[in-house]
């Protein structure tokens, strides 16, 4: 299914109000940005070879459990939707590299996040005031973006600095000045990881 066919498919679904995905001929990259969807059909789980799913700028508040069947998925972008809670069931996506949940209404990062295999999680521009310490146990997590939320300094688990693999923690524009993070336990360890990563890609 080429770009024109995808466009026609989306236009038809907007007219009928019915969005059916059979998975036949869909490419590895499937963009459904700004289409006004408030839900996804369970059939999305049939897209076994799907590697990138872009659902930005819709009205989604949750994902069907069948999303957990997208075993090849590497990038899941849900920016600019209506999520109030961190989506459940993503821990089974063993190849997920990037999860973008920016510009939603999420209020907490729950303990269940520990099951994620993502390298980068973007939670910028939400309403997050609580971050579970379990996020520090994400084995592959290198980049955690939490800019423009409702975090106090005490809301940042020290374990992210001391024992996690996170080498880029973005917390600008929260309820504290970033520079006072320097006084936190483990900040030097975090900076060692940050500097090593920066040199690696310099």
């Amino acid at each position: 299914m080429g770009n024109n066919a995808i466009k026609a498919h989306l236009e038809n679904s907007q007219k009928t109000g019915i969005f059916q995905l059979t998975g036949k001929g869909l490419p590895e990259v499937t963009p459904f940005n700004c289409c006004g969807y408030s839900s996804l059909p369970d059939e999305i789980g049939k897209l076994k070879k799907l590697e990138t799913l872009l659902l930005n700028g819709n009205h989604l508040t949750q994902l069907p459990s069948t999303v957990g069947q997208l075993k090849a998925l590497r990038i899941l972008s849900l920016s600019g939707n209506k999520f109030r809670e961190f989506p459940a069931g993503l821990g089974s996506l063993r190849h997920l590299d990037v999860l973008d949940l920016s510009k939603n209404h999420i209020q907490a990062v729950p303990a269940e996040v520990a099951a994620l295999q993502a390298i980068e999680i973007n939670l910028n521009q939400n309403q997050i005031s609580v971050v579970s310490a379990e996020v520090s146990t994400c084995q592959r997590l290198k980049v955690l973006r939490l800019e423009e939320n409702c975090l106090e300094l005490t809301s940042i688990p020290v374990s992210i600095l001391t024992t996690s693999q996170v080498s880029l923690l973005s917390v600008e524009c929260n309820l504290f000045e970033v520079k006072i993070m320097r006084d936190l336990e483990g900040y030097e360890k975090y900076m060692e990881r940050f500097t090593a990563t920066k040199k690696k890609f310099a």
Side-chain angles (χ1 to χ4, degrees), residues 4 7 11-12 22 29 41 60 96 100 102 109 148 162 165 179 182:
N4 290 335
K7 185 176 180 180
E11 289 175 350
N12 184 61
T22 63
V29 179
L60 300 173
L96 188 65
D100 187 352
S102 61
V109 181
E148 297 183 54
T162 57
Q165 299 298 313
K179 63 182 180 181
R182 299 170 186 169

Side-chain angles (χ1 to χ4, degrees), residues 38-71:
S38 58
S39 64
L40 294 175
D42 290 340
E43 286 80 3
I44 197 166
K46 296 179 180 179
L47 308 180
K48 303 299 184 184
K49 296 182 179 180
L50 192 66
E51 294 186 2
T52 301
L53 181 55
L54 309 177
L55 293 160
N56 302 323
N58 284 286
H59 303 292
L60 300 173
T61 58
Q62 60 183 4
L63 296 175
S65 60
T66 52
V67 167
Q69 299 172 17
L70 302 176
K71 302 302 184 183

Side-chain angles (χ1 to χ4, degrees), residues 133-148:
E134 294 299 315
V135 72
S136 63
T137 65
C138 293
Q139 296 181 355
R140 298 178 69 219
L141 186 61
K142 303 291 186 184
V143 179
L144 180 58
R145 302 185 187 277
L146 289 163
E147 297 175 18
E148 297 183 54

Side-chain angles (χ1 to χ4, degrees), residues 108-142:
V109 181
E112 289 76 13
V113 74
L116 289 178
Q117 298 296 312
I119 296 172
E120 176 176 345
I121 300 176
N122 186 345
L123 289 161
N124 290 346
Q125 293 180 276
N126 276 277
Q127 299 168 6
I128 296 170
S129 60
V130 177
V131 178
S132 170
E134 294 299 315
V135 72
S136 63
T137 65
C138 293
Q139 296 181 355
R140 298 178 69 219
L141 186 61
K142 303 291 186 184

